[in-house]
Amino acid sequence: MSPREPLRPVLYDDGRDLVRLLDQRKLPGEESWLELSAADAVADAIKTLAVRGAPAIGVAAAYGVAVEARRGAGPAQLRRVAAMLEKARPTAVNLAWAVRRISARLEAGPDALLAEAHAIRDEDEAACRKMGALGAPLLARGATVLTHCNAGALATAGYGTALGVVRAAHEAGNPVRVLAGETRPFFQGARLTAWELHRDGIPVTVLTDGMAGWLMQRGEIQCVVVGADRIARNGDVANKIGTYGLAVLAAYHRLPFYVAAPWSTVDLETATGADIPIEERPSDEVVLIGTQRIAPQGVLARYPAFDVTPAALVTALITERGLVRPVGAEALAALSG
Ligand code: MRU
């Protein structure tokens, strides 16, 4: 991949019938692609975070169904495959949304299923570009923007949600700078956000997760822009663990807190944030860095992978259908069409 070529982490090789995933576990040290010919391998890539980020796992799962169809699976087998993929991770609703969308076409045949998966991919990238166009004007000239986890091209079909807003501002000539929380425990900020912004020539500095409050107090941050894994009907936002703390800090310091997410992240069937299932990941992902143990043998760690930010702390939602401000059930219902 040459620098500045658009970054698209989930692809499908139509000629060889392979799902191609940029292996995000190996970044930033190594750019290597997985080539997968079966849905269970795609599910495993989702579970182990080779592909991660709410929209990206939805696209990967859709290709997981398509690859099985193209390799000869019939509707009954595809239904089992779809159910297995949908369960791979619980919090990001884009996964279930994409699997259900492609599952509605299981009888249509392999070519139609692949076309549907391509459409899910293309529409996600287009949504990200639209969110970028709508969100970029919210960033003051030369603003320092704090983001969390990776809500960039790597987390989507391409361009990114939160980082799509930053990219669009940068492309429009706004000299924005980004502070990327390292995002303990899995370092998506330090490894992935820093990598993709640096690759695109957008100034980025990594912070440990505990530094944001102090920098806000010193006036060194102008706004926060994050992505989302699921937005409930009342506007509550589930996103990577640590997001809620940043929202509280932003409110205390009277800084705008923006959430950028495609409509596929909005789950009108889930009433409030309290109803969103929160994934718990294994203790070892906290107490090990690579293979190095950082806590005493015998001590366990908690790892809720996401938290919920109440709608009241979100200044605006940036979706491809428009800005939602103030955030709440009424405004979301109005956009739901
Ligand atoms: O556990 P991850 O890396 O899949 O979590 C991803 C996030 O929480 C992102 O911030 C979120 O999915 C938004 S992605 C556009």
Side-chain angles (χ1 to χ4, degrees):
M1 229 181 308
S2 65
R4 301 188 75 78
E5 187 183 317
L7 184 55
R8 296 189 173 104
V10 185
L11 298 172
Y12 191 90
D13 183 330
D14 291 52
R16 295 186 300 152
D17 277 312
L18 292 169
V19 183
R20 302 190 67 236
L21 303 175
L22 177 58
D23 190 342
Q24 300 190 30
R25 297 166 301 193
K26 304 225 166 109
L27 291 172
E30 187 184 323
E31 285 175 51
S32 65
W33 289 80
L34 300 172
E35 298 195 320
L36 309 175
S37 59
D40 55 1
V42 174
D44 191 56
I46 292 171
K47 286 179 195 161
T48 58
L49 309 188
V51 58
R52 33 67 51 204
I57 63 176
V59 175
Y63 281 136
V65 174
V67 78
E68 291 285 346
R70 296 264 292 189
R71 287 172 177 266
Q77 194 180 339
L78 291 176
R79 262 187 287 282
R80 284 193 289 276
V81 157
M84 180 266 299
L85 282 162
E86 191 177 329
K87 285 199 216 98
R89 291 189 76 189
T91 303
V93 75
N94 309 63
L95 176 60
W97 171 86
V99 169
R100 285 176 201 169
R101 175 167 159 180
I102 198 161
S103 295
R105 309 217 56 203
L106 291 187
E107 314 284 341
D111 294 348
L113 285 171
L114 181 56
E116 189 70 18
H118 282 322
I120 290 170
R121 203 216 72 80
D122 293 347
E123 288 169 27
D124 184 64
E125 184 169 341
C128 287
R129 288 179 186 276
K130 187 76 200 286
M131 284 182 268
L134 291 171
L138 298 172
L139 306 187
R141 189 162 175 79
T144 297
V145 178
L146 175 68
T147 192
H148 190 59
C149 192
N150 174 264
L154 288 168
T156 61
Y159 205 70
T161 56
L163 298 190
V165 171
V166 167
R167 265 194 180 93
H170 175 82
E171 285 164 10
N174 183 347
V176 287
R177 310 180 68 80
V178 174
L179 294 176
E182 66 180 348
T183 320
R184 277 294 286 152
F186 223 63
F187 301 111
Q188 284 94 326
R191 293 189 305 106
L192 306 178
T193 292
W195 179 76
E196 71 165 84
L197 292 179
H198 186 63
R199 174 185 181 278
D200 279 2
I202 300 175
V204 58
T205 303
V206 175
L207 300 182
T208 70
D209 289 0
M211 292 176 183
W214 173 238
L215 295 190
M216 286 183 186
Q217 193 190 111
R218 288 170 55 96
E220 294 187 29
I221 293 171
Q222 277 71 57
C223 68
V224 183
V225 187
V226 298
D229 286 80
R230 191 185 297 228
I231 299 171
R233 189 162 70 230
N234 70 344
D236 291 349
V237 173
N239 193 49
K240 178 55 56 191
I241 191 76
T243 303
Y244 169 56
L246 296 178
V248 172
L249 282 169
Y252 183 80
H253 294 283
R254 297 192 163 78
L255 296 174
F257 183 91
Y258 300 116
V259 174
W263 199 256
S264 53
T265 306
V266 176
D267 178 9
L268 296 176
E269 287 170 24
T270 294
T272 73
D275 306 305
I276 297 176
I278 300 295
E279 178 180 11
E280 284 270 349
R281 294 190 63 90
S283 168
D284 273 0
E285 291 185 2
V286 177
V287 296
L288 298 181
I289 296 185
T291 52
Q292 178 69 44
R293 197 174 175 88
I294 57 165
Q297 219 31 275
V299 172
L300 295 177
R302 272 295 296 285
Y303 184 0
F306 302 93
D307 58 28
V308 175
T309 298
L313 294 180
V314 181
T315 310
L317 295 177
I318 303 162
T319 80
E320 76 276 28
R321 295 188 181 189
L323 297 182
V324 178
R325 183 182 195 160
V327 180
E330 245 176 67
L332 280 170
L335 279 190
S336 76

